[in-house]
């Protein structure tokens, strides 16, 4: 359902800005009025990395009036596979300064660089003055703080996450216009339900997918600012990049006076079992060859994730799937369940197994000519 425009328009556009945004001005439903709303908008972007990079580029190119960019990190060479706003010569400088340079090269958008880590204590102060916030951070504790800040200010939160080959995008807003139900982060992830979320450094991320999700985040923000289209409030867009599939999951506020319940998925969750529960199941290790070289669970079968996903029906259950933490094993278990194979995930993965000092076996090296 469409929402009313979030931002009042500026009185007029300069001749230069009219020329630069000419293709927006002729868009049915957006037009000059919508572009003047974009020019009046102040958007806060948390994170100038994989998601923040395409977000900032898209918003600056669109002609957003002001972008506050919040990030305390510096550019590293390993960022450049996905963080397309930065350049090799930016290595070692603050990301917010690199972002300001990139935005200035595109338009007259004003950039407010904030080289500070957003926390629960600072979120409201750092986000105050923005019409909406886009969360492109990569730590869940930061995401919780961003959500709390947005809720305290009553502004929309455009939210996205990318890990490995998968992504989610939605919009939260605890104070939407009348006739629209409020939805907040706790409706998708109830308090204390998430646990330890691995970072991109742990499990990797497909750089091109970051560009896609960042573009969607920027589009959601523009829709809210101008009142065109239907924002993702009450809907979670789920993207599987490997299969080129995307679908929506409805998300509604499920809070009563006393509790909060997630209704983002109708399917039962993948079972997570402990070390003492795996005796009656085959163990499948979906890590890569260089990872299993350091040790495997005794009796486990090595089946890299890509190989398993190519033919999950070849596996016979019941099985317990293990990876370094649990992200890849969950993906494998979901694929197995989709073809009727009973599958669970080992709690904490190999990281917890090794921390506990559980037994390991080092696999024999594969020799040339071995099948």
């Amino acid at each position: 359902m469409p929402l009313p425009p979030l931002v009042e328009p500026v009185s007029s556009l300069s001749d230069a800005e009219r020329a630069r945004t000419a293709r927006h001005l002729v868009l049915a439903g957006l037009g000059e009025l919508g572009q003047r709303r974009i020019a009046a908008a102040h958007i806060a972007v948390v994170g100038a990395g994989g998601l923040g990079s395409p977000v900032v580029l898209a918003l600056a190119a669109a002609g957003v009036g002001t972008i506050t960019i919040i990030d305390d990190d510096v550019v590293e060479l390993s960022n450049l596979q996905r963080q397309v706003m930065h350049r090799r010569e930016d290595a070692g400088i603050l990301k917010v300064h690199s972002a300001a340079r990139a935005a200035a090269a595109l338009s007259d958008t004003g950039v407010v660089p904030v080289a500070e880590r957003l926390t629960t204590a600072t979120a409201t102060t750092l986000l105050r003055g923005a019409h909406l916030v886009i969360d492109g951070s990569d730590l869940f504790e930061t995401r919780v703080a961003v959500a709390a800040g947005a809720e305290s200010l009553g502004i929309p939160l455009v939210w996205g996450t990318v890990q490995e080959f998968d992504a989610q995008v939605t919009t939260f807003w605890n104070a939407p216009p009348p006739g629209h139900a409020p939805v907040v982060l706790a409706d998708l992830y109830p308090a204390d339900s998430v646990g330890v979320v691995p970072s991109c450094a742990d499990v990797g991320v497909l750089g091109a997918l970051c560009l896609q999700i960042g573009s969607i985040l920027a589009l959601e923000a523009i829709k809210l600012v101008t009142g065109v289209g239907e924002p993702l409030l009450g809907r979670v867009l789920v993207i599987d990049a490997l299969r080129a599939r995307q679908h929506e999951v409805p998300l509604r506020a499920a809070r009563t006076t006393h509790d909060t319940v997630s209704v983002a998925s109708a399917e039962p969750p993948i079972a997570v079992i402990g070390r003492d529960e795996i005796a009656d199941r085959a163990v499948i290790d979906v890590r890569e060859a260089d990872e299993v070289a350091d040790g495997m669970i005794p009796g486990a079968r090595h089946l890299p994730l890509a190989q398993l996903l190519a033919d999950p029906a070849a596996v016979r259950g019941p099985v317990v799937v293990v990876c370094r933490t649990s992200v890849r094993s969950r993906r494998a278990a979901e694929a197995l369940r989709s073809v009727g194979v009973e599958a669970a995930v080992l709690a904490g993965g190999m990281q917890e197994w090794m921390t506990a000092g559980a037994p390991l076996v080092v696999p024999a090296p594969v020799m040339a000519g071995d099948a």
Side-chain angles (χ1 to χ4, degrees):
M1 182 184 299
L3 294 170
L6 189 63
V7 178
E8 290 299 313
V10 297
S11 58
S12 63
L13 301 171
S14 68
D15 290 342
E17 190 64 358
R18 287 180 59 84
R20 201 186 64 80
T21 60
R23 300 302 182 270
H24 274 182
L25 303 184
V26 296
L27 270 177
L30 183 71
E32 181 172 339
L33 178 60
Q35 188 60 44
R36 288 195 282 123
R37 294 187 192 278
I38 293 172
H42 180 178
I43 297 176
V45 179
V46 181
L51 294 179
S53 286
V55 164
V56 169
L57 293 176
L59 294 181
V64 168
T66 304
I67 307 174
T68 294
I69 306 174
I70 305 167
D71 195 312
D72 69 339
D73 204 1
V74 299
V75 178
E76 299 178 4
L77 288 179
S78 62
N79 300 150
L80 304 184
Q81 157 258 8
R82 63 201 178 280
Q83 300 181 19
V84 296
M85 179 167 54
H86 311 298
R87 302 290 180 262
R88 283 181 289 184
E89 56 267 29
D90 295 328
I93 73 170
L94 286 165
K95 289 181 180 179
V96 292
H97 292 162
S98 176
R101 180 266 307 155
L106 288 169
S107 71
D108 293 331
T109 294
V111 173
V112 180
V114 179
E116 182 177 338
R117 182 174 295 276
L118 184 144
T119 66
T120 302
T122 63
T124 302
T125 300
L126 295 181
L127 300 177
R128 182 172 285 115
H131 293 104
L132 64 89
V133 57
I134 300 177
D135 188 354
S137 60
D138 57 3
L139 295 176
F140 197 78
E141 63 185 58
T142 303
R143 292 178 174 274
V144 171
V146 174
E151 290 172 34
S152 72
L153 296 168
I155 60 176
L157 167 59
V158 180
W159 185 94
T161 180
V162 178
Q163 198 161 75
E164 296 184 287
F165 303 98
D166 301 295
Q168 298 177 1
V169 183
T170 191
T171 292
F172 301 116
W173 198 355
N174 70 320
H180 300 269
V183 184
V184 298
L185 177 64
D187 294 317
L188 183 61
Y189 292 106
D192 302 321
S193 69
V194 177
V196 178
V197 180
S199 68
C200 292
D202 292 325
V203 297
V205 61
L206 184 65
L209 181 58
C210 292
L211 303 186
Q212 179 184 1
I213 303 309
S215 176
I216 294 173
L217 293 171
L219 178 57
E220 288 300 301
I222 290 170
K223 285 156 58 177
L224 288 165
V225 165
T226 61
V228 303
E230 298 184 13
L232 282 169
L233 185 66
R235 299 178 291 146
V236 181
L237 181 64
V238 181
I239 296 177
D240 177 347
L242 282 183
R243 293 174 178 77
R245 295 174 183 166
Q246 60 184 47
H247 65 279
E248 291 181 6
V249 178
L251 178 66
R252 62 179 175 81
R255 301 177 305 285
T256 66
T257 304
H258 302 292
D259 60 2
T260 301
V261 181
S262 173
V263 293
S265 174
E267 284 197 71
I270 295 293
V272 179
I273 64 176
R275 296 190 305 277
D276 57 347
E277 301 175 81
I278 68 172
D280 59 345
R281 293 174 179 257
V283 178
I284 296 181
D285 192 324
V286 296
R287 294 176 297 160
E288 297 302 313
D290 61 327
E291 296 177 281
V292 302
D294 292 331
M296 297 173 59
I297 295 173
R301 173 189 174 192
H302 180 219
L303 187 62
L305 179 62
Q307 188 176 334
L308 182 149
L309 294 178
D311 188 14
V315 176
R316 297 291 177 264
V319 300
V320 57
V321 190
V322 61
C323 65
R324 181 176 181 273
T325 53
S326 64
V327 175
R328 284 173 287 177
S329 54
R330 284 182 183 276
R331 180 175 175 81
E334 288 168 356
L336 292 169
R337 183 168 68 176
S338 72
V339 296
V341 178
E342 183 183 345
V345 169
L346 180 64
M350 289 301 298
Q351 186 169 284
E352 186 169 314
W353 181 276
M354 291 186 289
T355 299
L360 291 172
V361 59
V362 177
V366 177
M367 306 300 292
D370 286 354

